[in-house]
Amino acid sequence: MKFDKNKAFPYPVLRPYSDDYVDVDFQTTVEFILDKDYLSVDITYTVSSEDILKEIYSGNAEYVSIVSCRETYYRKVLNSNERMIHAEFPSGSFRGEVRVDPYIVVKHPISEFASADINEEFGGATFAFSPGEVLAQDETQIFY
């Protein structure tokens, strides 16, 4: 799923340009390192919502990044419970534009998620999440 600031979810998602959450952020830093035999990437995640962090620490959610290159048809999903992911790719995996799409994704069912950071427009409700649903999304980062 590509980042679309106009997309509406049926539940609150922590992401840029959205007011689903108030005064908290999800940000990702991506650093590529080029060697003659491989290309490595370090992805660091920062989330300031304690309630989302609690779901990650309990194993109900995880950090996920999709690294893809349209020109070479290469696509790799990286996931971790840690704030940083390191991965290496064979030389030649990428050419031209490389996209990194970062998320926090539900891993195990969450039956009653609540957070004081969720916008009041949601009426103080609790939310149920199924595996694969998105709790947070950052903007796509593009590298050449």
Side-chain angles (χ1 to χ4, degrees), residues 114-115 118-127:
S115 174
I118 295 175
N119 193 317
E120 292 176 357
E121 292 176 355
F122 285 96
T126 60
F127 298 89

Side-chain angles (χ1 to χ4, degrees), residues 25-37:
D25 291 304
F26 172 54
Q27 298 176 335
T28 310
T29 304
V30 180
E31 181 181 358
F32 280 97
I33 302 161
L34 181 60
D35 187 282
K36 65 181 177 180
D37 297 324

Side-chain angles (χ1 to χ4, degrees), residues 19-24 116-120:
D19 62 356
D20 289 358
Y21 282 78
V22 179
D23 297 329
V24 290
D117 301 321
I118 295 175
N119 193 317
E120 292 176 357

